[in-house]
Amino acid sequence: MSNPAVMKLTSTRVCGRELKIEDNLGEAIHIHLGEIRVDLTVEEFKNLSDKAENVLDQMDSLIPSSKISWRDLNPIFLQNPKNTDILFRLNNVYITKIKLKDILVDSYIKLPFVGKLPVYRSVRYSRIVKALNGIRKDNDDYIQLNELFMSNNERITDNLESIKKNGYPFNKNYIILNKQNMIIDGQHRAACLYHLHGSEYEIPVMKWEFDDPVYVYFPPKRGVLEVAFRAYASLVHREFLRLLKVPLTIIRIVKGKKFGKKGEPIKASIQKDTLPNDAVSTLQELINILVNKNIDFIVLDNEFAQNDNKVTLSLLVDKASQLCLKKCMEENGFFGKFAFSTDVEYLYSLERDLIYSNGIINIHVFYQLFCKSMFVNAMVPLEQFINQEAWGTKQYNEHLKCFQVGLSVSIILSIVQSVFFEKRFSSECKVKIIQNLSLLESDLGKKLLYNIFYHFTDRLLVLFREQEFDTIIEEYTSFEDY
Amino acid sequence: MGEKIKNYSKIQIGKEIFDIELNKPHIKGEPYSVHIQNPKFRLEMRDFEFARMAAAIIFARKQLEKLKGNLNE
């Protein structure tokens, strides 16, 4: 099953494996622990989280300090692998007062020729204080777990507004420091308070202390000598890596000349000046060549577009024709390259779409039907059943003199385009759906839709019937009857 | 195997019912052990790892409610 609407709700590490919880819209809530997956209905997941709260309440008795309950802590903090461990190994907890300038956060110093060196510094050097003063890069680049649909910057604004509205500490949620005044939890709040009140402002904080040195994992504040030593070590390390590149590059060049490079685009194997660039200038010529070469392909008509005298043709090509197609493209002056090589990830499959182009005609080649994922910048292959139907229901186009995708799959592709790519239904798509509603409501139509929308299929058909197109995406994301 | 201290709770997934139980540590001074088990299956982890998993589940529900609204309604 490859659901194009998977929302990762959270992830952490448990028992040395990744624990990942995700909502597969219309299908199930998945809890992954390493290679194991548990499928839950929304109701089961709701019950599970109620039980988790109940068990954590009982586990409060295992925390050595009675002054702490898990309910006083942010779940984002608690699920961080660094934090739950120390919570159970606490020795002493107390509330004290401290000036904001004395609170330390993880920051860095920039050294000439060395670059950034991580150190603990006063809260005034925090990436969050910098962001509040308009220098946002460090904070924007920082990777952290936020609430859904919340950016790093929005998290700061959210904290600032909360402090302005509710004050600090709100609901006994203190900033937590270790013995050396380093922040364990609450950097956003400390930075916002610093921004509002300045460095001399005194606030109550909660201090956590540990007996066992194993759990005092925070490094001590670095002295000048240590900083100098680390800077020197970093410089030597970097120069060593740079020198190491020389023999590696030589090995790569020698190996490349001898054996060739794997996955090299076909363009590299042809001398550019030998290519007949203008050999194929019309779409029909190209189609005739593909047909004559016995390449098994279907034109995906809803991808068909013509702009500025350049033609873009999207084809679904049989995997078995792959080599034959590459050879044919070489002979006719088309170059192949990966369509999305940098910013789009492919999920569940290593298959990629290819673009062949001779400057006049662009051919977009798919070996299977893909769909843009709803929540991440990634492509997901559509179910095998839909791919099989595309081949099984292909129709001959008298005008193009080749096969094009059949009506049932064509409508499905239009719906996929509207929901996952455009996030709205165009008027052309609405007309197409209304005119072919009986086909979508047939057993085949339902089966095709079910392979994408799962338990939401019946409700989707009702919304199609009632022509409530504008509410479809909202209802789909909030649907919970699965 | 660890010695059982108490049953924390029972959870049902599909038709399967699992106990969540607290067990004594395997070695004195080590973290307690938590078992999620039924007669045919057992997942064993240390107390803080279970707490981490429970916190992740609670946080995931909070995230899910942002997507779907309050699940108690």
Side-chain angles (χ1 to χ4, degrees), chain A residues 14 23 122 167 189 238 250 259 307 449 451 463:
Chain A
V14 171
D23 179 18
S122 167
R189 280 170 288 162
R238 203 178 64 184
I250 294 168
F259 304 111
N307 289 314
L449 285 173
N451 275 280
L463 293 170

Side-chain angles (χ1 to χ4, degrees), chain A residues 280-291 361 398-402:
Chain A
V280 181
S281 57
T282 68
L283 184 62
Q284 198 56 59
E285 270 179 31
L286 173 70
I287 288 173
N288 290 343
I289 289 167
L290 295 175
V291 171
I361 302 172
E398 289 292 343
H399 175 67
L400 290 173
K401 306 230 181 300
C402 65

Side-chain angles (χ1 to χ4, degrees), chain A residues 13 44 49-50 148 479, chain B residues 10 14 49 52 61 63 68:
Chain A
R13 287 194 79 77
E44 282 173 339
S49 70
D50 288 342
L148 223 52
F479 182 68
Chain B
K10 283 182 190 296
E49 285 186 305
R52 189 184 304 151
R61 172 166 176 178
Q63 302 275 70
K68 300 188 186 299

Side-chain angles (χ1 to χ4, degrees), chain A residues 53-96:
Chain A
E53 287 196 8
N54 175 274
V55 174
L56 277 184
D57 280 338
Q58 296 180 63
M59 287 180 85
D60 270 351
S61 63
L62 299 181
I63 301 172
S65 171
S66 58
K67 291 174 191 160
I68 298 271
S69 164
W70 74 272
R71 286 190 184 271
D72 301 331
L73 303 166
N74 185 340
I76 295 183
F77 165 78
L78 204 55
Q79 70 166 69
N80 185 326
K82 282 195 301 184
N83 300 333
T84 12
D85 188 1
I86 60 171
L87 179 65
F88 286 85
R89 314 296 153 224
L90 272 169
N91 176 44
N92 190 22
V93 172
Y94 57 93
I95 308 290
T96 184

Side-chain angles (χ1 to χ4, degrees), chain A residues 9-10 13 15 23 44 46 49-51 55 58-59 76 79 81 84 89 147-148 477 479 482, chain B residues 6 8-10 13-14 31 45 47-50 52 56 58-59 61-64 66-68 71:
Chain A
L9 299 170
T10 192
R13 287 194 79 77
C15 303
D23 179 18
E44 282 173 339
K46 195 184 94 177
S49 70
D50 288 342
K51 292 282 168 65
V55 174
Q58 296 180 63
M59 287 180 85
I76 295 183
Q79 70 166 69
T84 12
R89 314 296 153 224
E147 287 182 17
L148 223 52
T477 47
F479 182 68
Y482 56 93
Chain B
K6 66 182 285 194
Y8 272 146
S9 188
K10 283 182 190 296
I13 298 171
M45 59 188 79
D47 52 8
F48 62 87
E49 285 186 305
F50 179 83
R52 189 184 304 151
I58 293 163
F59 180 63
R61 172 166 176 178
K62 205 175 158 189
Q63 302 275 70
L64 193 65
K66 271 200 146 188
L67 203 63
K68 300 188 186 299
L71 296 179

Side-chain angles (χ1 to χ4, degrees), chain A residues 144-202:
Chain A
Q144 63 183 354
L145 182 65
N146 293 327
E147 287 182 17
L148 223 52
F149 311 124
M150 187 183 269
S151 68
N152 286 1
N153 200 48
E154 284 164 344
R155 186 168 166 184
I156 296 177
T157 314
D158 193 55
N159 270 271
L160 189 65
E161 292 306 315
S162 169
I163 287 174
K164 281 182 185 169
K165 188 180 163 195
N166 306 311
Y168 167 84
F170 180 57
N171 276 349
K172 292 200 303 183
N173 281 323
Y174 290 98
I175 291 166
I176 302 168
L177 307 182
N178 71 358
K179 203 173 177 179
Q180 295 95 343
N181 294 338
M182 293 164 184
I183 286 196
I184 296 175
D185 184 37
Q187 184 171 171
H188 283 84
R189 280 170 288 162
C192 290
L193 286 165
Y194 180 90
H195 180 73
L196 291 172
H197 304 292
S199 61
E200 294 296 321
Y201 190 67
E202 206 173 53

